[in-house]
Amino acid sequence: MMKKRLATILIASTLGVLATPAMAQFGAILGVLSGSSNAGGSDPQTIIASALAAEKLMNNSVALLSRSLVSKEQAAALEAQRKAANEITDPAEKQAKLNEVRKSEQAALNEAMTNANVESEVKKIDGKQREDLAAASFNFMLALLQDKALIEQSKGLVGSFASNPMNITKLGGVKDAVSSLSNQISAASSVAGKMPAIFTAVGVKPPASKDEKPKVVAQVEGE
């Protein structure tokens, strides 16, 4: 009886740590993309690894999209910033600078997507650049679908801890994954609403499922 009470207290205290802000993020995040998926069956290690993969897919897609949709001058400036960040030898400083570059790329992409003529401008793109833009757009939406599914799986996993207290020690990694996914969805949400125009312009369909394979694209250094 004493062991059961201790396990209950441990679960309650751990979930209390999650409640702010991670658990509160679930409701807001799930409202970003409609639909549902089966969740709850994944283990902590799988969710964390999948979250890292989705994050890399999103970061690479944003970098490629920003290069395609912003002005040549902006694209060159962003590439120069990324190159400088990748040349930093100190790991912590390098990561901090890369995070700054990603924010700049996201901001540049957001600005480009506010252009009322973005669809007509994209239709002017042809050849390899058009193919690359279509592939990056597909991967961007695929990463969002994966993010949403992982958030739901994480929610189900947290609920399952009550029946398996041994997983409590792994909760910190899941919390970090939820926070990362939350930030990623929040940053990408404004672009996602305008992606249908891009898909129409390049003449391709968006991913129908999170389980579709990413399109082959160039790998941006640092991602």
Side-chain angles (χ1 to χ4, degrees):
M1 180 64 70
M2 180 61 70
K3 290 183 178 180
K4 184 175 181 180
R5 288 184 60 190
L6 289 173
T8 302
I9 293 171
L10 179 59
I11 293 169
S13 61
T14 306
L15 292 179
V17 172
L18 258 185
T20 306
M23 284 298 289
Q25 291 168 345
F26 286 129
I29 295 169
L30 293 177
V32 175
L33 298 172
S34 60
S36 62
S37 64
N38 294 329
S42 296
D43 59 88
Q45 292 94 331
T46 298
I47 286 181
I48 293 169
S50 297
L52 289 174
E55 184 175 16
K56 288 177 68 67
L57 182 62
M58 174 63 75
N59 289 340
N60 199 68
S61 300
V62 168
L64 294 175
L65 285 171
S66 65
R67 292 180 183 182
S68 295
L69 298 176
V70 304
S71 67
K72 291 182 179 180
E73 292 76 15
Q74 278 185 299
L78 289 171
E79 288 192 57
Q81 290 177 33
R82 182 173 282 276
K83 180 180 179 181
N86 280 308
E87 290 175 350
I88 296 174
T89 56
D90 180 78
E93 184 181 355
K94 179 178 181 178
Q95 187 61 50
K97 288 296 183 182
L98 281 173
N99 288 339
E100 291 180 8
V101 173
R102 291 174 187 131
K103 290 180 180 179
S104 296
E105 290 170 339
Q106 185 70 60
L109 178 58
N110 290 347
E111 182 180 359
M113 294 294 278
T114 62
N115 183 355
N117 299 319
V118 63
E119 185 174 353
S120 60
E121 292 296 324
V122 169
K123 287 180 178 178
K124 298 176 184 178
I125 300 174
D126 57 14
K128 181 67 163 55
Q129 186 180 1
R130 184 185 184 89
E131 293 177 4
D132 291 343
L133 176 57
S137 299
F138 181 95
N139 288 351
F140 175 90
M141 293 305 296
L142 181 62
L144 276 181
L145 289 175
Q146 292 174 352
D147 286 351
K148 175 184 176 292
L150 286 165
I151 286 292
E152 292 183 1
Q153 289 172 352
S154 298
K155 183 179 180 181
L157 186 62
V158 169
S160 74
F161 285 152
S163 60
N164 189 1
M166 295 301 295
N167 278 331
I168 288 294
T169 57
K170 304 171 185 176
L171 193 54
V174 175
K175 176 187 174 183
D176 291 341
V178 168
S179 178
S180 178
L181 293 172
S182 169
N183 293 335
Q184 192 172 99
I185 290 177
S186 177
S189 59
S190 60
V191 173
K194 298 182 179 181
M195 286 305 293
I198 302 299
F199 283 109
T200 298
V202 296
V204 298
K205 294 181 179 180
S209 165
K210 68 176 180 63
D211 297 318
E212 292 194 44
K213 291 184 178 180
K215 301 296 184 183
V216 177
V217 295
Q219 188 66 35
V220 177
E221 187 179 5
E223 303 303 342

